[in-house]
Amino acid sequence: MMRDLSQPCALAVLVSGNGSNLQVIIDRIESGELNARIACVISNNPDAYALTRAQAHAIPTIVHEISGFTGRREYDAALVKILQGFGVELVVLAGFMRILSDVMVSAFPDAIMNIHPALLPAFPGLHAQQQALDYGVKFSGCTVHFVDCGTDTGPIILQAVVPVNQDDTEAALSARIQAEEHRTFPQAIRLFVEGKIHVDGRLVRIQS
Ligand code: GRF
C-alpha cells in the first residue's frame, strides 16, 4: 500500500550501541531535510548509548531484551506488536546486532532497512571492516539494503565506496566508512519517505 506522502513517515530505529547513525537521522529530521518522525527507538541492549541520544530528543525508547523469550521468532513477534502499536511504516536497523526472522520480515515487507559496513555481497556478517582488510581489497564502503531472512542478503538500495589504504587499521577504515554511512543512510531513508523506491525482486529502482 502506498503511504500518504503528505504526512511525516513514522520510523522506528533499532539500535544496539553508539547510535551515530541514529543521531544523523534525528539531525536530518530536525533540520527539515527528512519528512519523517521517529516514533520509537528500540534497543536489545539496555546500555546502548543510542538510548541516551534518543532521550535527549524526547523520543520514546524501549529496551527489548532477548531474555524471557524462547527464541528469535517469539522475540520478533513481540517486536512486531510494539512496532505496530506505534504505527511504524519504516523500520531502520542502525547498528542493531540481531538477525531478524521471517516473523519480522513478513510483517514489514520491503520496509526494513539496514546499513552494512562493506560493499555487499562482499563481507556480510560481523567484523566486515576487518574481513575487508584481511582479504586485501583496495576499496570497501557501505551498503544500505532492505532486510530479508538472510544475513545482509536483501535488495541493495544504495552503496558508497571508500579506498582501503595500505596501512589501514580496522578503526581507521571503520571511521572512513562511517562518514559515508552518515551520508548514505539518511539519503536512502529520504528516498523511501518520498515514495521513490520500487522493489522488483532483487532489483531496487529509484525514481529520479
Ligand atoms: C555501523 O558501522 C553499521 O554499519 C553497523 O553498525 C554500526 C553502527 O554504528 N551495522 P552506530 O551505532 O550507528 O554508531
Side-chain angles (χ1 to χ4, degrees):
M1 199 184 66
M2 189 70 179
R3 53 175 301 271
D4 178 356
L5 297 180
S6 66
Q7 295 299 316
C9 183
L11 313 180
V13 184
L14 275 53
V15 296
S16 298
N18 177 31
S20 67
N21 281 285
L22 166 67
Q23 188 65 57
V24 172
I25 297 164
I26 292 173
D27 294 347
R28 292 289 194 284
I29 291 172
E30 290 187 351
S31 71
E33 289 164 79
L34 205 49
N35 183 24
R37 61 184 181 86
I38 302 180
C40 58
V41 167
I42 301 178
S43 175
N44 64 321
N45 169 16
D47 300 322
Y49 182 61
L51 292 169
T52 307
R53 294 183 191 267
Q55 283 152 8
H57 293 263
I59 297 167
T61 57
I62 293 164
V63 175
H64 187 52
E65 286 184 273
I66 182 68
S67 54
F69 294 97
T70 48
R72 186 170 288 167
R73 301 184 86 242
E74 290 71 21
Y75 177 91
D76 280 4
L79 186 56
V80 168
K81 279 210 178 108
I82 296 169
L83 295 167
Q84 287 173 343
F86 277 98
V88 167
E89 296 168 277
L90 175 66
V91 180
V92 176
L93 307 186
F96 186 61
M97 300 302 284
R98 289 189 57 77
I99 305 291
L100 298 180
S101 70
D102 61 303
V103 173
M104 258 299 284
V105 173
S106 60
F108 292 93
D110 299 331
I112 307 175
M113 268 186 203
N114 183 44
I115 181 106
H116 182 75
L119 293 174
L120 293 170
F123 316 128
L126 293 175
H127 307 297
Q129 301 92 332
Q130 189 61 50
Q131 289 186 56
L133 290 174
D134 293 346
Y135 198 93
V137 293
K138 304 299 185 194
F139 291 92
S140 190
C142 64
T143 304
V144 183
H145 65 93
F146 284 117
V147 172
D148 64 11
C149 289
T151 303
D152 303 320
T153 50
I156 291 172
I157 304 165
L158 292 177
Q159 293 186 301
V161 179
V162 306
V164 179
N165 299 335
Q166 202 141 294
D167 302 319
D168 260 346
T169 58
E170 186 181 9
L173 178 58
S174 299
R176 200 174 307 121
I177 291 173
Q178 272 233 320
E180 288 302 310
E181 292 182 14
H182 295 163
R183 200 177 55 78
T184 313
F185 213 3
Q187 198 184 338
I189 294 168
R190 183 173 173 164
L191 290 169
F192 182 97
V193 160
E194 293 178 352
K196 291 185 174 165
I197 296 183
H198 306 281
V199 186
D200 178 10
R202 272 215 64 81
L203 301 186
V204 173
R205 295 183 196 287
I206 293 168
Q207 198 178 308
S208 50

